[in-house]
Amino acid sequence: MTLLKKLQWSFGLLLFFFVLPVIAGQLPFNKQASTPIKEPEDKQVVFAATNLPEQSALEQTKEQTQDQTQDQPKEQMQEQTQDQTKDPFKVLLLFTHSQESYQPIVKAVSGKAAYYDEKTNIYNLKDTISKHFSMNGIQTDILDVDVMKELKLKGKSFPNSYNFVRPYLAKRLQEQSYDLVIDFHRDSSKRDATTLTHNNESYARIAIVIGAEHKNYRWNTAYAESLSAAMNEMVPKISRGVISKSGDNVDGRYNQDLTKEMILIELGGIDNTKEELNRTIAVIGKAIAKSFNTGK
């Protein structure tokens, strides 16, 4: 073999060994069999994890709320809880002398001049009173008994009013509890004693009557004095004060022995107008809210 052929043979052999791996890599052999299998790492698995902006904002809000709650004074937290859970202030209205009336109102309706009327009377003010009380956050119930009408039907006289209404009131107080019970009446006094002018507006004055011949006397008086003072702060002298009654020719109880939270309000007198009564009823509602409701 000549030297030239030997060189050609050697070059061809070298070329063969150089190209062989390249050719083998293109053949359809199972590559996975030659790849080492990696053992699984021992890592904690997290389910339903997310990096959405909404989720991040929610978590941030929760953290801020928790921080604020921890930093909030305990007293403030307790006050907020009490405000959310406290019951509304509840008042029961009754009208023992249900047909007591106001002469200007009766005259405007029927043309008569009367101090008592079967249709136009203090009992008809119950819706107006309830409305004004409701505007001040006061829940109002009414003892829906026209006492004087029932007395006439049963042949009983006017002085029997308190004894007649007593079982109705006692039954209601057994069924439900109230923060205040008000028996509304109309005073028999004339206009000069039951009317005042404040800021160019006229008002019907009130008086609060407390029976002094029973065990709840001091409790009833405390409620009456608180309400009277609050009303006079709003409209000076709109309340004529608290009048205690005892002795001969008076009831002495006015059924106030049935509950510590009961008062009797003389709402204006025989000569007061509808407008004057409405203004005063509005003051009563605000005064109740100020004296009792906000402190419940």
Side-chain angles (χ1 to χ4, degrees):
M1 182 178 297
T2 62
L3 180 59
L4 180 59
K5 288 185 178 181
K6 289 181 178 181
L7 290 173
Q8 290 176 344
W9 172 259
S10 299
F11 178 78
L13 187 60
L14 290 172
L15 182 61
F16 173 80
F17 284 110
F18 178 81
V19 176
L20 181 61
V22 177
I23 297 173
Q26 300 299 321
L27 296 177
F29 296 146
N30 187 356
K31 296 180 182 180
Q32 187 177 0
S34 62
T35 303
I37 300 176
K38 188 177 182 180
E39 295 294 331
E41 298 181 1
D42 186 16
K43 291 184 178 181
Q44 182 178 2
V45 180
V46 180
F47 295 97
T50 178
N51 292 320
L52 293 177
E54 294 85 351
Q55 183 70 16
S56 300
L58 178 61
E59 295 300 328
Q60 184 178 3
T61 301
K62 290 180 179 179
E63 292 175 359
Q64 292 175 350
T65 303
Q66 291 174 353
D67 293 339
Q68 292 173 357
T69 303
Q70 292 174 355
D71 295 337
Q72 193 175 27
K74 292 183 179 180
E75 294 80 7
Q76 186 175 352
M77 293 174 62
Q78 291 174 352
E79 289 178 0
Q80 292 177 351
T81 302
Q82 290 175 357
D83 289 340
Q84 294 172 355
T85 58
K86 73 176 184 180
D87 295 329
F89 192 88
K90 295 179 64 175
V91 174
L92 176 65
L93 308 180
L94 68 149
F95 303 84
T96 300
H97 293 163
S98 55
Q99 293 184 5
E100 289 178 329
S101 61
Y102 302 88
Q103 184 174 259
I105 302 176
V106 176
K107 191 172 183 178
V109 173
S110 64
K112 299 185 299 182
Y115 301 149
Y116 294 90
D117 191 83
E118 293 181 356
K119 296 181 179 179
T120 308
N121 48 52
I122 192 170
Y123 186 60
N124 295 145
L125 293 177
K126 60 183 183 296
D127 292 335
T128 300
I129 297 171
S130 297
K131 178 181 177 181
H132 280 288
F133 282 18
S134 177
M135 291 171 62
N136 288 281
I138 302 166
Q139 181 177 317
T140 307
D141 285 349
I142 298 169
L143 191 65
D144 201 8
V145 182
D146 189 337
V147 179
M148 294 183 69
K149 178 181 177 180
E150 294 298 323
L151 284 174
K152 292 176 184 178
L153 291 174
K154 293 177 171 56
K156 296 182 179 295
S157 61
F158 186 84
N160 291 311
S161 300
Y162 291 102
N163 287 334
F164 180 84
V165 78
R166 186 177 179 87
Y168 292 95
L169 177 59
K171 184 175 185 295
R172 177 64 66 88
L173 294 176
Q174 288 176 353
E175 296 171 346
Q176 299 185 46
S177 61
Y178 294 94
D179 299 291
L180 188 63
V181 180
I182 305 176
D183 187 2
F184 276 100
H185 291 250
R186 182 265 297 139
D187 200 328
S188 60
S189 300
K190 299 291 288 183
R191 183 172 181 81
D192 58 346
T194 65
T195 312
L196 67 83
T197 301
H198 176 72
N199 291 339
N200 298 320
E201 297 280 7
S202 58
Y203 293 80
R205 299 182 72 193
I206 67 115
I208 306 179
V209 179
I210 300 297
E213 298 178 359
H214 59 91
K215 62 181 180 179
N216 289 332
Y217 164 68
R218 295 188 182 279
W219 287 95
N220 303 138
T221 301
Y223 276 82
E225 290 178 345
S226 179
L227 180 59
S228 177
M231 291 185 66
N232 283 335
E233 286 181 8
M234 298 176 187
V235 180
K237 297 184 179 180
I238 191 172
S239 172
R240 295 157 58 195
V242 179
I243 303 170
S244 297
K245 291 287 189 74
S246 62
D248 297 335
N249 301 318
V250 298
D251 186 275
R253 293 186 310 175
Y254 304 107
N255 289 322
Q256 293 165 359
D257 58 313
L258 295 176
T259 177
K260 298 177 180 179
E261 299 84 11
M262 185 171 175
I263 61 177
L264 187 157
I265 293 181
E266 298 276 7
L267 177 60
I270 55 178
D271 295 321
N272 284 117
T273 66
K274 182 178 181 181
E275 292 74 21
E276 291 165 348
L277 293 167
N278 283 341
R279 295 187 190 107
T280 299
I281 291 168
V283 175
I284 294 173
K286 293 177 183 178
I288 291 174
K290 181 179 180 181
S291 298
F292 310 120
N293 197 19
T294 55
K296 181 173 168 61

